[in-house]
Amino acid sequence: MIKPDIRIMKAAIEIAEENGTPFGAVLAMGDEIFITAANQTKKLHDPTAHAELLAIRKLSSSLKKTELSGFSLYTTCEPCPMCMSAAIWSGIDLVIYGCSIPEISKYMPQIDLQSSEVANRSFRKINIEKDFMADECLRLLDKFA
C-alpha cells in the first residue's frame, strides 16, 4: 500500500484554507498532484459540490475518462457516503483522510455512515487510510465550521 504523503495532504489543507472551508481534496498518483478542489456548496448553490466530487469531476473531465484507478484521494475530512460512493464508482484505489465523520459531527450535521462502511458493502476494493494529519485537519473545522 502507498504510504500517505504529508506534502499532498498539506495541499488539501491549503486549498481548503484558500476557499474558507474545512473541506479540501487532492487527487494524486504516487507523489504527483493532479487536481485540487475545495467545497463550493455555498458558492455554487449546489449541495453536491463537495471537494471530493469536484476533484473527481475535474480530473475525469481533464483526462476524458471515468476510470481513475491508480489515483489516491486525499481529503481533509472523511468522505461522506456520496463522496465515498463516487470514489468507488470512479475506481480510485486509496482514500486518505484527516478527521472522521464522528469528529466532523461535533461541528455540523453529518450522515452517520463512515467511509469504511460504504467501502465494505462495495463491489470494488478500495483502501482507506484514516486519521492522517488529523490535528491539522481539525484546525480547519475550528477555523471555518
Side-chain angles (χ1 to χ4, degrees), residues 2 9 14-15 26 42 44 60 78 80 92 100 103 113-114 120 122-123 134 136:
I2 297 169
M9 184 60 92
E14 287 171 15
I15 193 72
V26 173
K42 292 178 181 151
L44 298 176
S60 292
E78 181 175 6
C80 72
I92 288 169
S100 69
E103 291 167 319
L113 182 62
Q114 293 194 265
N120 288 340
S122 171
F123 62 95
E136 294 89 333

Side-chain angles (χ1 to χ4, degrees), residues 15-92:
I15 193 72
E17 285 181 327
E18 288 169 14
N19 285 275
T21 178
F23 305 103
V26 173
L27 278 165
M29 185 177 281
D31 63 356
E32 184 178 353
I33 293 173
F34 280 73
I35 294 289
T36 63
N39 257 38
Q40 299 290 315
T41 55
K42 292 178 181 151
K43 180 179 179 183
L44 298 176
H45 308 286
D46 178 356
T48 69
H50 292 196
E52 301 94 331
L53 282 184
L54 294 174
I56 290 168
R57 289 174 184 157
K58 283 167 56 174
L59 184 59
S60 292
S61 179
S62 172
L63 297 177
K64 302 204 180 328
K65 65 182 203 169
T66 58
E67 174 61 37
L68 301 179
S69 60
F71 283 92
S72 297
L73 173 64
Y74 285 75
T75 182
T76 55
C77 295
E78 181 175 6
C80 72
M82 174 181 68
C83 292
M84 190 62 189
S85 295
I88 291 165
W89 281 111
S90 64
I92 288 169

Side-chain angles (χ1 to χ4, degrees), residues 87-98:
I88 291 165
W89 281 111
S90 64
I92 288 169
D93 293 333
L94 174 63
V95 171
I96 300 162
Y97 67 82

